[in-house]
Amino acid sequence: MEHSTSDGRILVMTAVEGEREAVLRGLKGDTRFVVELAGVGAPSAAASTALALATGDYSMVISAGIGGGFVEAAALESVVVADAIIAADLGAETAEGFSSVDELGFGSSRIAVNAATTQRFVQGLRDAGQTAVAGPILTVSTATGTAATAERLAKRIPGAAAEAMEGYGVAVAANRFELQMMEIRTISNAVGPRDRAAWRIKEALQALEAAFSTLTEVI
């Protein structure tokens, strides 16, 4: 059974220091939250989150940071709140294409989140004037760099809204401790060809700060 968010602190895991600083600015000293570094990639994130959970008392875990947005679902500088956390490249190549670990019978590449919490936060963000959507956030080991890969992912995972590199790892650790999980990404670039000149990292970090300011009011 998942714990409620009323009986302990909330652990927020970000990949890098710039994301952590943006989250802390948004939280404005709210003592319910502890913000730690996960490192880059799902393995580091899983290990860092598990260590933090083993040495602290938490009721909820949030994976947070900036990420790429699928253009049909999430605009630059918008906020995506996961309605599912999916390890998009955890599986095997076959003659027919990619098969997930689910299809192979080796486990699950998808971790569920609390739908009511997700929708409440999305509505709170919209009420605060931010563009926000709920949708699947994909965890990848290799960031997408071509239009063809982006198209394949979007076709294989209907409604895919964003991709990043840590959410599934954080979620695996949260699941082991039977804790409610969220993933929050603000969009710095479009998933697909890597056009660094078009990236809006500064703006996405500002959106991340604003999102956590809102989160303190709705959670």
Side-chain angles (χ1 to χ4, degrees):
M1 179 180 293
E2 291 182 341
H3 298 259
S4 75
T5 57
S6 62
D7 59 0
R9 295 174 300 169
I10 298 169
L11 177 65
V12 183
M13 301 298 293
T14 69
V16 297
E17 185 61 38
E19 293 167 328
R20 180 175 181 269
E21 291 172 354
V23 169
L24 287 170
R25 287 194 298 271
L27 292 173
K28 298 181 176 66
D30 191 320
T31 57
R32 294 175 296 166
F33 295 82
V34 176
V35 189
E36 301 282 2
L37 289 176
V40 174
S44 177
S48 299
T49 305
L51 181 61
L53 292 174
T55 54
D57 178 24
Y58 296 99
S59 61
M60 184 180 189
V61 185
I62 301 173
S63 176
I66 64 176
F70 287 85
V71 292
E72 298 298 323
L76 295 181
E77 302 176 46
S78 67
V79 186
V80 178
V81 185
D83 63 13
I85 298 168
I86 301 170
D89 51 14
L90 187 60
E93 285 187 312
T94 72
E96 291 75 35
F98 178 83
S99 289
S100 70
V101 291
D102 313 68
E103 294 164 328
L104 295 169
F106 296 152
S108 178
S109 61
R110 178 183 292 258
I111 294 177
V113 299
N114 185 293
T117 302
T118 296
Q119 291 299 331
R120 185 168 70 249
F121 183 37
V122 167
Q123 189 57 54
L125 290 165
R126 292 172 177 169
D127 291 346
Q130 282 190 275
T131 302
V133 298
I137 299 181
L138 313 189
T139 300
V140 295
S141 297
T142 302
T144 299
T146 69
T149 301
E151 186 177 339
R152 281 197 300 272
L153 287 170
K155 184 176 181 180
R156 182 153 54 81
I157 304 167
E163 85 168 17
M165 302 177 77
E166 295 81 30
Y168 184 82
V170 175
V172 165
N175 255 14
R176 289 294 178 94
F177 285 82
E178 299 182 331
L179 297 176
Q180 185 175 325
M181 174 72 196
M182 292 181 72
E183 184 172 4
I184 301 164
R185 296 286 169 181
T186 54
I187 303 305
S188 59
N189 58 280
V191 174
R194 293 172 64 79
D195 179 10
R196 294 185 70 92
W199 290 5
R200 299 184 189 172
I201 292 175
K202 178 182 176 183
E203 293 84 354
L205 289 171
Q206 290 171 340
L208 187 63
E209 176 183 344
F212 271 83
S213 180
T214 297
L215 183 63
T216 63
E217 299 171 5
V218 300
I219 204 164

